[in-house]
């Protein structure tokens, strides 16, 4: 099946810093999403982005489908950004999740 | 996108008992997905539930342990049977609402003692 690799696995930032999270995938995909899992376990859909670039406030994402990667940018990070960020790709109809990037933002 | 109500949000269960998790969607969906997230791990798909047919289970998951019901296009249940401490996980349901992508329920945090 399709492989999804996320990097870095762990990230620690000071409030106000910027960061880039990466998702590499091994095959063509129909869909790619970025999720934020908060400390209570809830998964929040950040972006549905099979290709191109999208922005939502301090967050933006870019997917280059031909090169099989996606990037999630977090600018001016806040403590509420802490949690785990997952990339999920869909090849067929079942999404496959990466192992996630655990982000801690210190005040 | 869809809104999913998942219950219970958490539970503590004794070994050997069962827990049934419910997911209610605010619109009709063809497929519903059930995931398990073990502590510190990513999400693993348990099964796909279609209305009117038996669920399709992924490798390593069996119907006797994880029976699923899908009585209509807005509702599904997952039962985790014969609980052991290894079943302690977060269980999540999900639906696909193209073009918005996948939406998840708020999760059920299960602890088996």
């Amino acid at each position: 099946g399709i492989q999804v690799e996320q990097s870095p696995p762990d990230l620690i930032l000071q409030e106000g810093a910027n960061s880039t999270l990466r998702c590499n995938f091994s095959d063509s995909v129909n869909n790619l999403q970025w999720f934020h899992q908060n400390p209570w376990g809830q998964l929040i859909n950040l972006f549905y982005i099979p290709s191109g670039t999208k922005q939502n406030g301090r967050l933006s994402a870019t997917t280059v489908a031909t090169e099989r990667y996606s990037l999630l940018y977090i600018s001016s990070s806040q403590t509420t950004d802490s949690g785990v960020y997952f990339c999920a790709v869909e090849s067929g109809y079942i999404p496959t999740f990466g192992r996630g990037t655990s982000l801690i933002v210190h005040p | 996108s869809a809104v999913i109500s998942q219950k219970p949000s958490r539970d503590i269960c004794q070994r050997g008992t069962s827990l049934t998790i419910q997911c209610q969607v605010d619109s009709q969906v063809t497929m519903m997905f059930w995931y398990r997230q073990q502590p510190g791990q990513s999400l693993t798909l348990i099964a796909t539930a279609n209305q009117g047919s038996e669920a399709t289970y992924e490798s390593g998951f069996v119907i006797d342990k994880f029976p699923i019901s899908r009585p209509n296009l807005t509702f599904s249940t997952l039962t985790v049977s014969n609980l052991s401490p290894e079943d302690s996980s977060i269980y999540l349901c999900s639906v696909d609402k193209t073009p918005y992508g996948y939406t998840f329920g708020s999760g059920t945090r299960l602890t088996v003692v």
Side-chain angles (χ1 to χ4, degrees):
Chain A
I2 192 167
Q3 304 298 312
V4 182
E5 294 185 1
Q6 291 187 242
S7 59
D10 301 283
L11 189 58
I12 299 174
L13 301 174
Q14 286 296 128
E15 204 167 27
N18 303 327
S19 61
T20 300
L21 283 58
R22 187 177 181 102
C23 173
N24 293 332
F25 43 96
S26 61
D27 205 346
S28 301
V29 298
N30 305 322
N31 176 21
L32 186 145
Q33 285 182 257
W34 284 97
F35 293 92
H36 175 217
Q37 188 169 41
N38 63 26
W40 297 270
Q42 188 167 8
L43 272 172
I44 308 299
N45 182 13
L46 298 176
F47 293 104
Y48 172 86
I49 187 168
S51 64
T53 297
K54 290 186 178 180
Q55 181 155 7
N56 184 2
R58 296 182 294 104
L59 303 181
S60 63
T62 296
T63 298
V64 184
T66 54
E67 297 187 20
R68 299 180 183 169
Y69 73 90
S70 183
L71 302 174
L72 177 69
Y73 305 95
I74 304 174
S75 64
S76 303
S77 58
Q78 301 176 358
T79 56
T80 52
D81 295 330
S82 296
V84 182
Y85 290 80
F86 288 103
C87 166
V89 302
E90 181 186 347
S91 173
Y93 69 93
I94 296 175
T96 300
F97 281 76
R99 299 175 69 87
T101 293
S102 176
L103 172 64
I104 298 174
V105 181
H106 289 301
Chain B
S1 61
V3 176
I4 305 174
S5 173
Q6 183 172 344
K7 298 178 182 179
S9 58
R10 58 177 61 232
D11 206 342
I12 301 173
C13 297
Q14 298 290 325
R15 293 182 195 216
T17 64
S18 299
L19 176 69
T20 295
I21 302 166
Q22 300 180 3
C23 276
Q24 178 76 51
V25 190
D26 68 343
S27 58
Q28 293 184 341
V29 292
T30 304
M31 293 192 290
M32 294 182 71
F33 304 90
W34 287 98
Y35 287 85
R36 180 178 73 183
Q37 186 180 24
Q38 295 177 301
Q41 303 296 313
S42 186
L43 280 74
T44 301
L45 182 65
I46 298 172
T48 304
N50 290 325
Q51 192 266 338
S53 63
E54 283 200 6
T56 302
Y57 290 83
E58 297 299 304
S59 176
F61 297 96
V62 295
I63 188 171
D64 289 347
K65 176 67 174 178
F66 298 98
I68 288 172
S69 77
R70 184 80 201 275
N72 57 53
L73 291 174
T74 63
F75 186 79
S76 180
T77 68
L78 168 73
T79 298
V80 189
S81 303
N82 190 23
L83 290 168
S84 68
E86 292 72 33
D87 295 320
S88 297
S89 298
I90 298 174
Y91 294 86
L92 300 109
C93 62
S94 173
V95 301
D96 177 18
K97 289 299 280 186
T98 304
Y100 305 106
Y102 290 86
T103 300
F104 283 81
S106 53
T108 297
R109 189 180 295 270
L110 169 62
T111 302
V112 182
V113 298

